[in-house]
Amino acid sequence: MRVAVLASGRGSNFEAIAKAFIDGKIKGELVALIVNRRNAGAVERAEKLGINWLFVDPYSFPSREDYDRRLVEILKYLKVELVCLAGYKLIVSEVFVDAFPGRILNIHPSLLPSFPGLRAHWQAVTYGVKISGATVHVVDKGVDTGPIVVQVAVPVSPEDTPDTLSEKVLKWEHRIYPQAVKWFVDGRVKVEGRKVVVEGADYGRLPVVPALEDF
Ligand code: GRF
C-alpha cells in the first residue's frame, strides 16, 4: 500500500511512522511527506530519513477547497491509498475527505470524544480528568469525530501541566500510530459506520485497546 503523511510542525509522529516503514515493520511504501508550512520540523526529519517531501503553500490558493484539490491531485498522481494526518494543523475540507473515503487517519492527543480540537492537553488538565490519552481515528467531515481505530489511556497526575502530559502521551502516540497504519496496510481494519474492528486483535486489556502487537 502506498502511504503519505501530512504534517505542519515538529513531525515526531511522522518520524515514528517513517521509521516503521524503513525498518520493514510496515509492508508498503511511504511515498511522501507533504507539509503546509515551509519551516515544519518534519521536513528536516524527512531529509535525514531519505523520505521525499513537498511543501504546498496554502496561501497561494484562493480557498481551502482549492488547496485541497491540489493536494488530492498530487496524492492521486503519487497513487497514494492511505493518508496519515500527523500534527496537520489544517482542517481538511469535504473535497479531501470525499477523495479518500475511509482512507485518511488522524491522531489526536486525548481520549476522544473528550477534548477535540485545539489544545487538547490544556483542556484535559484544566478539566481535571485523571485519565487522558490519545486516539487514532478515521477522518470524517467533522473535527476529530471520525470512527475510532485505537486508543491509549494515560494517567494524569496532580502535578501534570499540559507540557508534561503531552510528553507522556506523545511516547504512546509514537507506538499507536505506526501500529494503526500497519493494521490498515495489512487489511485488518474494517469500518462499519462508527464501529471499527481490527480483525484478530485483542480488545481485552489496557492501556492500549486494541492491544499493540508490533510496537
Ligand atoms: C501530536 O500530539 C498529535 O497528536 C497532534 O499534534 C501533535 C503533533 O506532534 N495532532 P508531532 O508534529 O507529530 O511531533
Side-chain angles (χ1 to χ4, degrees):
M1 191 181 281
R2 293 171 68 79
V3 180
V5 175
L6 266 57
S8 304
R10 183 176 53 186
S12 69
N13 277 289
F14 157 70
E15 179 167 338
I17 293 168
K19 282 187 169 155
F21 276 95
I22 291 165
D23 295 347
K25 285 191 183 173
I26 305 176
K27 307 268 171 274
E29 208 180 320
L30 183 54
V31 185
L33 164 75
I34 300 182
V35 295
N36 66 311
R37 290 186 186 164
R38 194 186 295 276
N39 59 357
V43 165
E44 205 172 305
R45 298 182 196 253
E47 291 271 348
K48 278 194 188 134
L49 295 166
I51 307 282
N52 292 323
W53 64 271
L54 197 68
F55 163 59
V56 188
D57 186 358
Y59 295 107
S60 56
F61 294 83
S63 70
R64 180 58 50 74
E65 284 73 18
D66 287 309
Y67 179 63
D68 280 358
R69 258 187 283 279
R70 181 69 186 130
L71 292 188
V72 168
E73 238 170 58
I74 294 167
L75 293 165
K76 295 284 183 191
Y77 174 78
L78 294 170
K79 299 196 166 25
V80 166
E81 300 162 88
L82 175 67
V83 181
C84 301
L85 310 183
Y88 183 61
K89 295 197 173 72
L90 297 180
I91 293 168
V92 293
S93 68
E94 281 196 29
V95 170
F96 200 94
V97 178
D98 286 340
F100 295 96
R103 302 228 144 226
I104 309 167
L105 295 177
N106 181 42
I107 188 155
H108 182 75
S110 77
L111 280 181
L112 289 172
S114 292
F115 315 129
L118 296 174
R119 300 172 76 201
H121 297 302
W122 178 86
Q123 293 187 58
V125 167
T126 307
Y127 197 94
V129 291
K130 303 298 173 256
I131 305 175
S132 193
T135 304
V136 176
H137 65 91
V138 176
V139 172
D140 66 7
K141 289 175 186 173
V143 176
D144 300 325
T145 52
I148 291 169
V149 180
V150 57
Q151 293 188 298
V152 59
V154 175
V156 183
S157 79
E159 293 77 33
D160 268 323
T161 63
D163 284 348
T164 60
L165 181 58
S166 157
E167 230 173 273
K168 287 198 272 186
V169 171
L170 197 62
K171 288 196 181 107
W172 284 103
E173 293 185 41
H174 298 159
R175 301 180 67 190
I176 65 171
Y177 209 175
Q179 178 69 79
V181 174
K182 180 172 164 57
W183 281 329
F184 222 94
V185 169
D186 289 345
R188 289 172 60 191
V189 178
K190 300 285 172 262
V191 185
E192 283 161 27
R194 283 218 56 86
K195 197 162 171 180
V196 180
V197 177
V198 179
E199 285 175 344
D202 175 3
Y203 281 84
R205 56 197 159 102
L206 288 167
V208 182
V209 185
L212 295 172
E213 296 168 359
D214 310 282
F215 296 92

